[in-house]
Amino acid sequence: MTPEQLAAKIRTIPDFPQPGIVFRDITTLLQDAEAFSASIDAMTAPLRGLKADALIGIESRGFIFGAPIARELGIGFVPVRKLGKLPGETISIEYDLEYGTNVLQIHRDALRPGARVIIVDDVLATGGTVAGTLKLVEQLGAIPVAISFLAELPALGGRARLPDGIVSALIAF
Ligand code: AMP
């Protein structure tokens, strides 16, 4: 499937979760077996050959895409989760949302220093969530080698907050 065909599978819902937000709803892509599979294949292809050691998925939609990509690549999956969900010893980062702040956590023993990691999420919007995730990766001494999204919203400028050259998205809205 082409990126345009995949984009057509994503439903647009205006004013969700609040007025003024144009929400890109990936559930309509997920429920289409061919589109979901094609998305995983297309996101995985450029990540092969990076010799990554681990793949980080960002809660919660990053898990949906991240886990099958990790399996395709033959590497382990590491969740970055919202505050209070991980049972072991964690490190935390507070990051800005459009309104207020949020906290993300990762298990302290999830990545070894020098590990090459891929980060996956569904949609790149302002980039705040993935920028916070990058700080967690850095705190553990790991090296981000790719950041992969199904879709990005270029008008929100997220890419400018992320390192050059390692960010990819199949679709832009
Ligand atoms: P960000 O602003 O990049 O930190 O976005 C945080 C998270 O919110 C991303 O993981 C997306 O899943 C989600 N998100 C933000 N804006 C949208 C949107 N307009 N449509 C769909 N998902 C969104």
Side-chain angles (χ1 to χ4, degrees):
M1 293 177 86
T2 65
E4 293 72 27
Q5 288 170 319
L6 292 176
K9 299 289 182 184
I10 297 174
R11 174 166 59 187
T12 299
I13 303 196
D15 299 320
F16 180 89
Q18 56 197 53
I21 305 286
V22 179
F23 195 82
R24 305 298 177 171
D25 174 19
I26 60 152
T27 65
T28 42
L29 178 145
L30 297 175
Q31 72 198 26
D32 182 309
E34 190 190 351
F36 184 28
S37 178
S39 300
I40 298 301
D41 288 348
M43 288 175 75
T44 303
L47 303 175
R48 295 188 196 278
L50 289 179
K51 294 190 167 59
D53 300 301
L55 185 147
I56 293 179
I58 304 176
E59 184 171 1
S60 57
R61 285 175 296 238
F63 296 174
I64 299 170
F65 293 94
I69 294 170
R71 186 178 185 281
E72 280 291 313
L73 295 174
I75 58 178
F77 176 84
V78 174
V80 160
R81 297 209 63 180
K82 311 238 167 82
L83 180 66
K85 301 285 189 183
L86 289 170
E89 192 188 337
T90 55
I91 61 166
S92 306
I93 190 85
E94 186 173 310
Y95 67 99
D96 291 329
L97 295 174
E98 210 170 344
Y99 303 105
T101 63
N102 205 352
V103 175
L104 290 175
Q105 298 184 311
I106 191 169
H107 274 142
R108 186 178 285 282
D109 62 0
L111 300 172
R112 60 168 178 76
R116 294 167 59 82
V117 302
I118 294 167
I119 299 171
V120 171
D121 203 356
D122 66 332
V123 174
L124 172 62
T126 67
T129 308
V130 70
T133 300
L134 276 168
K135 288 188 182 148
L136 292 174
V137 169
E138 281 164 17
Q139 278 184 43
L140 292 178
I143 302 160
V145 295
I147 308 175
S148 175
F149 302 91
L150 176 70
E152 68 175 316
L153 313 177
L156 299 182
R159 215 178 249 261
R161 301 177 65 173
L162 304 178
D164 283 339
I166 64 169
V167 177
S168 60
L170 291 186
I171 298 162
F173 284 108

